Every structure is written in structure tokens, then in C-alpha cells.
Amino acid sequence: MQRARIQSFFDPATFTVTHVVSDPATHRAAIIDSVLDYDPKSGRASHASSDAVVAHVRQAGLTVDWLLETHAHADHLSAAPYLKQQLGGRIGIGAHIRQVQGVFKAVFNAKDMNTDGTEFDHLFENGEHFRIGGLDATVMHTPGHTPACLTYVVGEDAFVGDTLFMPDYGTARCDFPGGDAATLFRSIRKVLALPPETRLHLCHDYPPEGRAPAWETTVAEQRSSNIHVHDGVTEAEFVAMRSARDRTLAMPTLILPSIQVNGRAGNLPPAEDNGVRYLKIPLDLL
Ligand SMILES: [Fe+2]
């Protein structure tokens, strides 16, 4: 199988990486984890980040088959519906999103929100195969950060979402609803059982002072030097470290806007009878 061509876009406002994965032979493509720009001060959404992706796709002559989410993000809004309108493609996410939607629907008392995943075009099961042109892609369910997290494996490239970060940053928090540190540890071991040369593409990077943002590592690199989960770290050690660290973390700035939009597959809430859409802020719930 030919290698996927990958073009990645880093959004400095949310530290998110969007990946455009394409088959060089057929020019069919998937866009993984897109970003809708959102200014919480004015409540205004805009499209500069996703327009850069649209421009790349058009310039490269790609046909988009898939708009994939690794999970329902809590730190940025998805631009999948906007990209679908601009470029086509089907919005896909893990089947466990139903469980996540159930939690979000209750939190926001969102009567319009379904809990059966029907806002999405496709719900992926663990082990499912799908095509990006001539490339074969496989879905790994890698819960822990959230219950619905997926890793998409495309040949020797794996898109791990928030399962792992760069070796010097470690791993993602597990204290969101349905998150669990022991579950994340087991998911990470599953990812790190892929061949050592497998390239891991991340959804975020939070570079320390002096290092440029980076979003690609390998299984071998993670196993030798990830500060949280290098080979030899036990599940108990990881859970103790992760739980202690999570107790110190503030909620992400955009968590409330993000989860009520991303739970609707990136669609904004329906307009009220005055024609205006509103995001809700639940008090004393998080
Ligand atoms: Fe996340």
C-alpha cells in the first residue's frame, strides 16, 4: 500500500492540529479534527482556520470523503459541518459518542440533542475498516480521555487524537465526564503495541518554552521517552500520576461552548424564536 500524504495545520489559539490525509494515487482525502474559530468574548464564530484547510484541499485537487473526529473535543469547536458544506464528505466519530451525548444533553438540558449519534453521518466501531481512496484505514477504540476516543490507523500512520501528546508533554487529562486514567493507560498500551516505526500524529501540542510546536512522533519514541508512559511505567503509577495532576487543572476556556456544539456534530444550537442562536452556561455543574 502506498503511504498517505499528510498536510497538518496548527491552530495557535487552541493548540489543535488538523490533519488532511490523502491518497496520492486517487486524490481522495479525509480531514481529521477541524477547528471552527470562536471568540468567547464576543460569541462570534469564524472560519479563517478551516478556510486555510479548504484552500489546501482545492489547490491540491483533493476530493474529501471523510470529516473525522477523534473524539468530542472540549477545547475547540469542530468545523466539520462548515467543511462538509464547502468540500463534501461524511462526518464520522466513534460509536460511543452516544454515551457522551447522553451526558451533554443532560448537562445542557438540550431538548434538540439526540443521544443516538444521528447528527453524525457515520459511527465507527472498534476494528472497523474504511477506505480513503486506495488507502485502507482501521479504527481503534482508545477510550480514557473520553469514552468515545478513537485512533485512526492508515498504513504506517496513526492519528491518535488526545491519547498521547509529544514525549516531553506526556498524556491527556482523564477528568472529563466518562474519562478514566486506567482506561487511558490500557488504550495507550494498545497504540504502543503498533510497529515501532509507526508515525503517531497528535491532535494537540503544548510546546515548552523554546520548542516549536510539533505533532508527529513514533511508537518507538513514545515507548522510550514519553514522560508519563514510557516502557516500564505501571498502570498503578500512571493512574496515581494522572489523577494527582488532573486535580490541579482548570477547565479549558472553551469547554462549555465546545461540548454543546461538538455533541451536535459541530452544529450550532438551533435559533430561538427571535432568530438568534444561544450557547448555554450551566451554573455549578462542572
Ligand atoms: Fe480532547
Side-chain angles (χ1 to χ4, degrees):
M1 187 173 84
Q2 219 177 343
R3 239 203 98 175
R5 182 167 174 251
I6 299 162
Q7 179 72 47
S8 303
F9 297 81
F10 183 71
D11 172 41
T14 63
F15 306 95
T16 302
V17 189
T18 299
H19 304 287
V20 179
V21 185
S22 61
D23 173 17
T26 62
H27 306 289
R28 313 297 292 203
I31 301 173
I32 304 179
D33 291 332
S34 60
V35 176
L36 180 73
D37 303 310
Y38 176 72
D39 174 21
K41 296 194 281 295
S42 61
R44 188 165 284 280
S46 54
H47 300 116
S49 298
S50 30
D51 282 339
V53 174
V54 171
H56 165 74
V57 165
R58 292 204 171 121
Q59 183 263 322
L62 304 176
T63 304
V64 175
D65 289 332
W66 290 106
L67 301 157
L68 303 176
E69 304 287 352
T70 53
H71 62 295
H73 307 276
D75 57 356
H76 69 273
L77 284 64
S78 167
Y82 176 72
L83 291 175
K84 180 175 174 173
Q85 176 215 323
Q86 295 289 310
L87 300 168
R90 301 169 71 206
I91 303 176
I93 199 165
H96 288 77
I97 191 67
R98 300 184 190 107
Q99 184 185 336
V100 175
Q101 283 183 316
V103 174
F104 292 174
K105 185 183 176 79
V107 165
F108 294 106
N109 194 24
K111 303 216 165 39
D112 68 296
M113 198 189 283
N114 296 312
T115 56
D116 58 1
T118 46
E119 288 92 344
F120 298 86
D121 299 313
H122 188 78
L123 300 184
F124 288 105
E125 299 287 349
N126 183 48
E128 188 172 337
H129 288 262
F130 65 101
R131 314 286 296 178
I132 305 170
L135 305 173
D136 180 54
T138 312
V139 173
M140 277 170 79
H141 183 215
T142 47
H145 169 61
T146 79
C149 287
L150 297 185
T151 292
Y152 298 101
V153 183
V154 186
E156 287 181 12
D157 293 284
F159 299 85
V160 301
D162 291 4
T163 305
L164 285 157
F165 292 138
M166 289 303 281
D168 61 1
Y169 195 84
T171 56
R173 63 196 300 170
C174 296
D175 59 335
F176 295 152
D180 182 71
T183 305
L184 178 62
F185 183 84
R186 286 174 214 151
S187 293
I188 289 172
R189 293 324 303 181
K190 237 167 69 176
V191 171
L192 296 185
L194 291 167
E197 64 277 10
T198 307
R199 288 173 292 267
L200 305 179
H201 303 269
L202 316 179
C203 179
H204 292 290
D205 184 40
Y206 308 94
E209 192 71 30
R211 169 165 85 58
W215 44 81
E216 186 183 326
T217 69
T218 63
V219 164
E221 225 170 65
Q222 294 283 4
R223 290 183 60 169
S224 68
S225 54
N226 185 294
I227 56 166
H228 295 166
V229 281
H230 59 78
D231 283 359
V233 174
T234 65
E235 182 176 312
E237 286 167 341
F238 175 78
V239 170
M241 178 284 303
R242 193 65 262 172
S243 314
R245 188 171 152 77
D246 287 350
R247 280 194 290 273
T248 70
L249 301 175
M251 281 294 142
T253 310
L254 294 184
I255 185 170
L256 290 168
S258 297
I259 60 179
Q260 56 194 301
V261 169
N262 297 339
R264 293 177 170 96
N267 294 301
L268 301 174
E272 297 195 3
D273 55 14
N274 61 355
V276 179
R277 301 168 187 273
Y278 293 87
L279 292 170
K280 283 188 179 179
I281 299 191
L283 299 180
D284 302 321
L285 251 181
L286 278 194

